[in-house]
């Protein structure tokens, strides 16, 4: 069984993640500050780390840097409320293997955990999603259309990634809320409509179509 270190100082989230991972057969350890996290990582015995950034004492970026400086190659999934492109890029370029923002859906976190734990001889994963002239690079978190680069927040990035992973499929507002906003989403919120309008403004008005009474579909 794979052993996962959960580094999270918010007890509710730590418990949520731990219970979900244990229910899926993983052995978990939870620590709530950066110093304890680094000690646990350096001592070995973990196959993957789920790492928050906003930690007491040593923050997550410092923990990650210290890990990589010490040649610890354990996969790291950053799980944080920080959703700026700058933080996302800093995390990935600093040695993280993946980056997720809170609130989140556990099923997505579980899928990413399993992906990072797979053996290295698997078929290489897709790292760039495309639709016409639109491309989304999952590693660098950069989006481009034709000859220009588009700046997206982490939430906008996740929404676009969802559309690109389901080309031609109509996604309901509830599906989008659950996938992008996770366990804290409000079913009565109009946040999906707001973010779709933002993506249209940044990517072009015809990229995402409204399917009346059903939801949205990537054009």
């Amino acid at each position: 069984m794979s052993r996962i270190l959960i580094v999270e100082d918010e007890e509710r989230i730590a418990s949520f993640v731990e219970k979900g991972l244990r229910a899926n057969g993983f052995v978990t350890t939870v620590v709530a500050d950066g110093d304890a996290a680094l000690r646990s990582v350096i001592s070995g015995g973990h196959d993957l780390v789920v790492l928050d950034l906003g930690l007491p004492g040593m923050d997550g970026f410092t923990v990650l840097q210290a890990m990589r400086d010490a040649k610890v190659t354990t996969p790291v999934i950053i799980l944080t409320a920080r959703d700026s492109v700058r933080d996302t890029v800093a995390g990935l370029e600093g040695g993280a293997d993946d980056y997720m923002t809170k609130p989140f859906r556990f099923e997505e976190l579980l899928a990413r955990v399993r992906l990072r734990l797979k053996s290295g001889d698997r078929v290489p994963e897709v790292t760039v999603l495309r639709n016409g002239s639109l491309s989304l690079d999952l590693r660098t978190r950069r989006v481009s259309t034709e000859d220009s680069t588009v700046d997206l927040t982490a939430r906008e990035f996740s929404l676009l990634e969802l559309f690109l992973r389901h080309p031609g499929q109509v996604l309901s507002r509830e599906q989008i809320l659950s996938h992008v906003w996770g366990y804290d989403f409000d079913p009565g919120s109009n946040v999906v409509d707001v973010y779709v309008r933002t993506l249209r403004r940044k990517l072009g008005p015809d990229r995402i179509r409204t399917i009346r009474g059903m939801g949205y579909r990537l054009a």
Side-chain angles (χ1 to χ4, degrees), residues 98-208:
D98 210 338
Y99 194 108
M100 288 186 65
T101 56
K102 303 172 184 174
F104 61 96
R105 186 177 181 186
F106 178 76
E107 287 81 359
E108 182 182 0
L109 174 61
L110 178 62
R112 297 190 187 212
V113 165
R114 286 172 170 164
L115 176 64
R116 298 303 164 192
L117 289 172
K118 283 183 179 180
S119 61
D121 58 357
R122 68 182 186 276
V123 176
E125 62 185 287
V126 174
T127 59
V128 179
L129 303 176
R130 302 183 188 278
N131 181 272
S133 62
L134 177 65
S135 68
L136 179 150
D137 192 314
L138 296 169
R139 292 196 180 277
T140 64
R141 310 290 287 187
R142 289 186 170 89
V143 176
S144 60
T145 174
E146 297 170 345
D147 296 325
S148 62
T149 299
V150 182
D151 291 329
L152 299 182
T153 66
R155 197 77 68 190
E156 292 164 357
F157 187 96
S158 296
L159 177 57
L160 180 58
E161 179 183 350
L162 178 63
F163 280 121
L164 286 168
R165 288 189 181 278
H166 298 84
Q169 180 179 336
V170 178
L171 300 173
S172 69
R173 287 174 177 81
E174 290 76 16
Q175 286 176 304
I176 296 170
L177 278 168
S178 178
H179 184 92
V180 178
W181 278 267
Y183 63 92
D184 271 347
F185 77 83
D186 175 4
S189 171
N190 70 338
V191 68
V192 171
D193 309 279
V194 172
Y195 271 75
V196 167
R197 285 198 296 270
T198 301
L199 283 183
R200 283 171 172 161
R201 187 177 70 250
K202 292 184 175 183
L203 303 175
D206 299 324
R207 290 283 184 187
I208 302 172

